[in-house]
Amino acid sequence: MLKKILLFTLMLALTSCRSVGEKFTYTAVVMTTSDVMVGDTFDVLVTTTNTSLEDFHYEGSSTVIGAIIYLKNSDGHIIRPLDVPVTKDYRKMVFKNKDTITRTWTFVLSEDDDCGSYDLYFEFFDDCEKLDNFINIKE
């Protein structure tokens, strides 16, 4: 068991040394509108494309890669999606060059969330991509 943990840690360390931002591109679109109200629920469709010019081998899901996304405003207030990425197809995967993976994330706004403009962040290993002014939350 210890050997598996050490091997997994080494694999993560080696993979995280790559410049993921040069390997993947992310796009996202709000499924309803870019202006939402406090208390609303909305979906964001995220597309991840392998632009590395090579196949990417990883252990995980065929539908969740770059699995950490969140909204953040200029004051640092963070809103995370409602759903947690749980999948039944966790296994060794190959994300082929120029292939895409899409996933819909659901956000539920509470009355405590700040109004204003939010950026959308994608995190994958040590890489962080951002879409500026992605959504505007109104009262």
Side-chain angles (χ1 to χ4, degrees):
M1 179 69 171
L2 183 58
K3 286 183 182 180
K4 286 183 181 180
I5 293 172
L6 288 173
L7 180 60
F8 182 70
T9 304
L10 178 61
M11 285 175 32
L12 279 176
L14 291 174
T15 306
S16 65
C17 292
R18 297 177 179 175
S19 178
V20 178
E22 296 174 6
K23 297 198 174 284
F24 302 105
T25 56
Y26 303 96
T27 60
V29 60
V30 178
M31 301 299 288
T32 52
T33 178
S34 60
D35 289 324
V36 295
M37 307 295 279
V38 170
D40 281 354
T41 298
F42 62 94
D43 293 328
V44 175
L45 176 66
V46 175
T47 302
T48 305
T49 303
N50 180 348
T51 54
S52 69
L53 304 178
E54 60 188 36
D55 293 347
F56 182 75
H57 299 262
Y58 67 100
E59 288 191 21
S61 166
S62 62
T63 59
V64 182
I65 189 167
I68 300 173
I69 74 166
Y70 56 92
L71 299 168
K72 185 176 177 182
N73 69 8
S74 60
D75 293 333
H77 181 75
I78 293 175
I79 303 172
R80 299 197 184 277
L82 174 67
D83 44 343
V84 175
V86 176
T87 180
K88 293 181 180 181
D89 74 341
Y90 188 91
R91 62 185 183 270
K92 289 184 179 181
M93 301 294 301
V94 178
F95 188 17
K96 294 193 176 286
N97 180 44
K98 297 188 181 179
D99 277 359
T100 61
I101 294 174
T102 59
R103 176 165 170 78
T104 301
W105 296 88
T106 301
F107 287 82
V108 178
L109 300 177
S110 75
E111 298 296 325
D112 296 330
D113 289 323
D114 297 338
C115 294
S117 179
Y118 282 78
D119 302 326
L120 179 66
Y121 286 82
F122 307 92
E123 290 186 7
F124 185 64
F125 290 99
D126 290 336
D127 188 56
C128 184
E129 299 288 324
K130 177 175 80 163
L131 293 179
D132 293 322
N133 302 314
F134 180 73
I135 197 161
N136 189 35
I137 299 174
K138 297 181 177 181
E139 281 189 71

